[in-house]
Amino acid sequence: MKRGFYLIMAAQFFSSLADNALFIAAIALIQQLDGPDWMTPMIKWSFALAYVLLAAFVGAFADSFPKGRVMFATNSVKIIGCLTMFAHASFGLADHHQVYTVCAAYALVGIGAAAYSPAKYGIITELLPPEQLVKGNSWIEGLTVVSIILGVVLGGALISPKVSTWLLSLDLSPGFGPDIQTPAEAAIMVIALVYLVAAFFNLLIPSTGVCYPRQQRNPIKLMATFGCFVATLWRDKLGQISLAVTTLFWGAGATLQLIVIEWGRVQLGLPLNKASILMGVASVGTILGATLAGKVPLHHALAVLPMGVVMGLVVMLMPLAYEPWFVYALLIAIGGLGGFFVVPMNALLQHRGHVLLSAGHSIAVQNFNEQLNILLMVAIYSLMLGMQIPINTIIIIFGTLVACLMLLIMGWNRHNHRTHPDLDLVIGSRAHGTALRGD
């Protein structure tokens, strides 16, 4: 791997680390402000909304400038969102309205993340040849999962009584704006420093030398063109399968994060700082699965589809888990199955997107579909919470849905291969932007 690849990995790690730690801090802040239960999933919902609303524009933005500079600029937007959350009490709103400021601030972080993602993934396709994309994706997914583990653990640690008391004693107030008065505010200031570390690595990323044609700037034409890009990937017989899988996985993964926190609180009696560690335990499994998936050749990516069905079935064992060893083993198994089947699918999707479109546009299409599903699944989860459906019933519904949808996708894939027996021969093509040129 080239030196620039490792700089990208470092920048991605610290930016994602801060995103996930800030998510825990935001939940703590909402609890501090006595926000309603349904506001916690709405934090995740507001973050995902930016991906959907900006999908038509961020691909063109990522392909208009060197991607290292795009990553720096969008990471700066995250810093602004983080500081806005810190200053939530400075806008003259009542406490019960300040929760909406917290939600809006995390939505601003989502805007930065939405524009960051096409640059982050797109630069990988610029640096690496097709045969190294699975390995490269194994790296980036593995480090992303590590950042999720450490992010939720960091967020949980920062709001824990012992650490927060120590942080408050240090008087970390920035010298402007409000003073730090609560554990959540102290955590947010530490997280802002992590974003600054990510910005440092962003500045070190070299240009790949890849130049794209001048990008469209008319918003109406961008949206129309983006619609064509979405249709192009969904029409492609390999792209549609990998896109369906990754769309399902990320929607399910985001919902599962929220389910695990609620499950830990209700079934295991854990406070937020300890329930957040359960998310980290599941992510340990995802690292193991992603590492094993790095050995799967791109040509065999579709062979991992049955792991998605197994993951849905294993999720349904959660209501039976009470003993710590069973809880941890179950969460590691769920994470491992998810990591093993999503990494090859992600690599195949990026490969087909690069062949058919461009790095930035293909990742924007992927993000649009994945985040749209996150909006849908998190909204349904919020609705079920609002209806006071027991968390274990929600888990059974969730696991059944994942398993059944994966079975449908496997049947779809078999149909594609029956009607196009030579379909796998196009995997590994070094062509680029064929749909843009009308090839």
Side-chain angles (χ1 to χ4, degrees), residues 271-294:
L272 176 60
N273 63 298
K274 293 184 178 179
S276 65
I277 295 175
L278 296 180
M279 294 166 57
V281 171
S283 298
V284 169
T286 309
I287 291 177
L288 297 175
T291 301
L292 291 174

Side-chain angles (χ1 to χ4, degrees), residues 386-434:
M387 296 169 63
Q388 299 184 337
I389 296 176
I391 187 62
N392 284 336
T393 302
I394 293 175
I395 289 171
I396 296 299
I397 294 172
F398 174 82
T400 303
L401 179 66
V402 170
C404 291
L405 288 176
M406 282 303 304
L407 285 171
L408 288 174
I409 293 171
M410 289 172 62
W412 187 2
N413 178 55
R414 286 193 296 271
H415 172 75
N416 284 350
H417 278 78
R418 281 197 301 268
T419 54
H420 300 83
D422 298 331
L423 189 58
D424 290 344
L425 296 180
V426 301
I427 299 177
S429 169
R430 291 181 177 270
H432 169 57
T434 57

Side-chain angles (χ1 to χ4, degrees), residues 74 129 137 194 198 258 280 282:
T74 52
N137 268 277
V194 180
L258 299 166

Side-chain angles (χ1 to χ4, degrees), residues 3-220:
R3 173 177 173 270
F5 177 80
Y6 296 110
L7 291 172
I8 296 165
M9 294 300 98
Q12 160 60 12
F13 172 80
F14 284 105
S15 190
S16 178
L17 177 76
D19 289 348
N20 287 281
L22 189 61
F23 175 61
I24 301 299
I27 295 175
L29 199 53
I30 286 174
Q31 292 180 354
Q32 171 192 315
L33 296 169
D34 295 323
D37 289 343
W38 57 263
M39 184 60 75
T40 295
M42 283 299 99
I43 287 286
K44 179 72 73 175
W45 198 88
S46 67
F47 186 90
L49 182 63
Y51 281 84
V52 175
L53 296 181
L54 298 178
F57 314 106
V58 292
F61 178 64
D63 288 342
S64 296
F65 307 97
K67 290 184 170 55
R69 297 297 177 264
V70 173
M71 292 168 71
F72 174 79
T74 52
N75 187 77
S76 299
V77 175
K78 294 183 180 184
I79 294 174
I80 295 171
C82 182
L83 295 178
T84 301
M85 188 179 298
F86 172 74
H88 67 280
S90 302
F91 299 98
L93 299 175
D95 283 359
H96 61 281
H97 287 149
Q98 289 175 20
V99 293
Y100 300 108
T101 302
V102 174
C103 192
Y106 201 61
L108 184 57
V109 176
I111 290 173
Y116 190 96
S117 187
K120 170 188 71 178
Y121 282 108
I123 198 171
I124 298 301
T125 61
E126 295 176 1
L127 278 174
L128 303 180
E131 60 271 15
Q132 286 190 308
L133 276 178
V134 172
K135 185 177 180 181
N137 268 277
S138 179
W139 267 87
I140 199 167
E141 295 298 340
L143 277 178
T144 297
V145 170
V146 170
S147 70
I148 293 172
I149 294 174
L150 296 180
V152 296
V153 170
L154 175 63
L158 290 174
I159 63 172
S160 66
K162 186 175 181 179
V163 176
S164 61
T165 299
W166 176 71
L167 287 174
L168 290 170
S169 71
L170 296 178
D171 190 18
L172 297 174
S173 298
F176 58 88
D179 292 333
I180 297 175
Q181 298 178 347
T182 68
E185 291 169 356
I188 291 169
M189 284 309 300
V190 174
I191 294 165
L193 296 177
V194 180
Y195 278 125
L196 289 177
V197 175
F200 170 74
F201 283 107
N202 290 150
L203 290 174
L204 296 180
I205 296 172
S207 173
T208 62
V210 175
C211 295
Y212 297 99
R214 182 178 176 84
Q215 300 296 305
Q216 176 61 252
R217 296 186 179 183
N218 184 300
I220 302 300

